[in-house]
Amino acid sequence: MKVLTLNFLTCAVKACKSSSDSFPLHPKDCELVSDELEVNSALLTNVLTRVDWKALTTTAAELGFPTLPATPPTPEELAGDEKMLKELHTLLMETQINEGKLVCGHCGHEYAVKEGIANFLLPNHLV
Amino acid sequence: MASTEEIAPEKYEEQHVHEVYEQIASHFSSTRYKAWPIVKQFMQSLTPGSVGLDVGCGNGKYLAVNHDVFIIGSDRSSNLVKIASQHQPHAAIVADTLALPHQAASFDFAISIAVIHHLSTPERRTEAVAAILECLKDEGKALIYVWALEQKDSRRGWDEGSEQDLMVPWVMKIGKKNSPSGEATEKTFHRYYHLYRSGELESNIAAAGGEVVESGYEKDNWWAICKRKQIES
Ligand SMILES: [Zn+2]
């Protein structure tokens, strides 16, 4: 599962969605792998305008990546900075959580990630 | 729902939809590769960098249509999600349509193709539409596609007046290699479907607090593009 995907996921428990503690989910005991992927700069540049940068900063820090800049690069900055584009591509698109857990900061429920696939089916008592 | 009053709908669907897809996943996937024109058109009309959902993505065949957007596909069948997750640059997760792990008002678009007709009560079908609409931004659009009752020219031949809730057989051919007897054979699975009559999808959307932008009929299916009803200010 891509780091980018985490920016668009929250807890599946209905009562958690209105709480700011449920986003982003917190990676726990994660094994990361890198999947090589061709850079699509149009996609990345435009997706970045939709990314919650604060949440991404949290996720990156929790996964042990170097601190991200305080604000996201603008499309213009990105167009002139191939190195930054490549780094963001590596972090968002190529880095994958292969095994581990995603924890909700509100209810504490842990969602398993196995072979790169996160499972959000809830046990009966949480539905 | 036919003669299953005592069984909770989610249990019924578990047995008559989810377990079947889990078992037929790879065979089902090998027969599902052609994109329907309306869906293809919708996907190709998206602006680059749009972020959206494919709710009930199955093997992810619609993830292959546009590589300039980012889609998170979800399905209850982990066997199908494994296949779907191979479509770059997208993502696929295991999730339930009625308990999606996404934030409200965050997505540019959503599609749900041949999914909500597997839910076994009108309330659950409306709830599914509401769950999809909830994920959309104000200007976001969702394309929902369901099997039609009116399909008299199809192989199945159903039409107005036919039973709307039924079990549809899926015949899986098993080759010699995979057959315990060593002979080529076949196994039949049954999946629950609710066939939609004309106007019914639009009613679900209205009941879910949505607004139909455009709707129509395409080869044995009803479809509708909808958005969240804008609250007048
Ligand atoms: Zn939670």
Side-chain angles (χ1 to χ4, degrees):
Chain A
M1 186 178 86
K2 295 181 177 68
V3 170
L4 177 63
T5 312
L6 256 184
N7 208 263
F8 296 99
L9 290 174
T10 183
C11 186
V13 176
K14 281 197 175 65
C16 287
K17 289 198 184 173
S18 54
S19 163
S20 58
D21 295 337
S22 63
F23 178 80
L25 297 171
H26 304 288
K28 185 181 158 191
D29 305 331
C30 283
E31 174 203 303
L32 301 180
V33 294
S34 185
D35 269 0
E36 206 173 310
L37 191 67
E38 211 176 308
V39 179
N40 179 339
S41 52
L43 170 66
L44 190 60
T45 307
N46 290 304
V47 158
L48 271 177
T49 64
R50 291 161 167 90
V51 160
D52 184 319
W53 191 257
K54 192 169 157 263
L56 178 64
T57 307
T58 305
T59 302
E62 288 177 352
L63 289 172
F65 285 90
T67 311
L68 296 178
T71 54
T74 62
E76 295 72 35
E77 283 167 348
L78 218 50
D81 192 339
E82 206 175 316
K83 185 168 167 278
M84 191 192 292
L85 186 81
K86 182 75 186 62
E87 279 172 4
L88 283 169
H89 172 76
T90 301
L91 173 66
L92 290 167
M93 308 298 291
E94 293 189 323
T95 306
Q96 309 267 344
I97 298 176
N98 194 43
E99 297 284 332
K101 295 181 187 87
L102 304 171
V103 187
C104 171
H106 188 248
C107 71
H109 188 65
E110 299 187 345
Y111 297 95
V113 182
K114 286 183 186 147
E115 295 176 54
I117 310 270
N119 188 327
F120 288 91
L121 296 182
L122 294 168
N124 283 334
H125 70 278
L126 287 178
V127 174
Chain B
M1 191 168 57
S3 67
T4 49
E5 260 68 47
E6 314 77 26
I7 307 172
E10 57 274 25
K11 291 271 178 304
Y12 182 82
E13 291 155 18
E14 177 64 36
Q15 187 183 348
H16 297 292
V17 179
H18 310 316
E19 283 178 13
V20 177
Y21 275 110
E22 197 68 358
Q23 292 183 66
I24 68 175
S26 64
H27 180 243
F28 172 82
S29 182
S30 68
T31 64
R32 290 291 186 282
Y33 47 85
K34 243 170 81 188
W36 280 316
I38 290 283
V39 189
K40 212 169 151 180
Q41 214 173 37
F42 180 84
M43 298 301 283
Q44 286 170 343
S45 73
L46 302 164
T47 36
S50 297
V51 177
L53 305 173
D54 183 350
V55 176
C57 66
N59 66 351
K61 72 172 165 173
Y62 292 107
L63 302 181
V65 177
N66 189 337
H67 296 118
D68 294 328
V69 298
F70 180 62
I71 309 170
I72 301 176
S74 57
D75 203 282
R76 279 199 63 117
S77 162
S78 52
N79 285 338
L80 285 172
V81 168
K82 259 177 225 158
I83 302 169
S85 68
Q86 288 154 22
H87 288 286
Q88 294 293 0
H90 309 294
I93 57 168
V94 177
D96 189 302
T97 303
L98 300 181
L100 291 171
H102 304 296
Q103 286 178 297
S106 300
F107 295 88
D108 300 300
F109 69 94
I111 59 171
S112 186
I113 310 303
V115 176
I116 65 170
H117 55 210
H118 283 310
L119 293 164
S120 59
T121 68
E123 293 74 25
R124 287 167 69 78
R125 292 189 286 272
T126 298
E127 198 185 329
V129 175
I132 294 163
L133 288 171
E134 190 188 297
C135 295
L136 296 178
K137 294 177 182 171
D138 280 350
E139 68 279 18
K141 283 184 189 146
L143 170 62
I144 301 175
Y145 209 100
V146 291
W147 218 5
L149 177 65
E150 300 85 351
Q151 46 168 302
K152 62 178 189 313
D153 299 326
S154 78
R155 177 164 67 91
R156 318 265 186 189
W158 299 309
D159 201 2
E160 238 184 297
S162 302
E163 175 59 50
Q164 273 188 279
D165 294 276
L166 69 174
M167 304 302 291
V168 179
W170 174 271
V171 181
M172 184 161 81
K173 304 237 185 319
I174 301 165
K176 283 182 194 166
K177 250 196 307 188
N178 297 318
S179 169
S181 65
E183 292 295 315
T185 177
E186 47 183 53
K187 191 171 173 193
T188 304
F189 295 89
H190 290 89
R191 291 166 297 164
Y192 166 82
Y193 276 91
H194 172 80
L195 301 176
Y196 271 73
R197 61 170 73 250
S198 174
E200 195 177 347
L201 178 58
E202 288 87 341
S203 318
N204 281 174
I205 292 167
E211 187 173 322
V212 176
V213 178
E214 207 187 335
S215 62
Y217 182 87
E218 180 182 66
K219 207 182 176 309
D220 311 334
N221 293 276
W222 294 109
W223 60 269
I225 295 174
C226 54
K227 57 180 190 170
R228 281 170 35 206
K229 202 168 208 144
Q230 308 301 311
I231 294 145
E232 315 272 329
S233 54

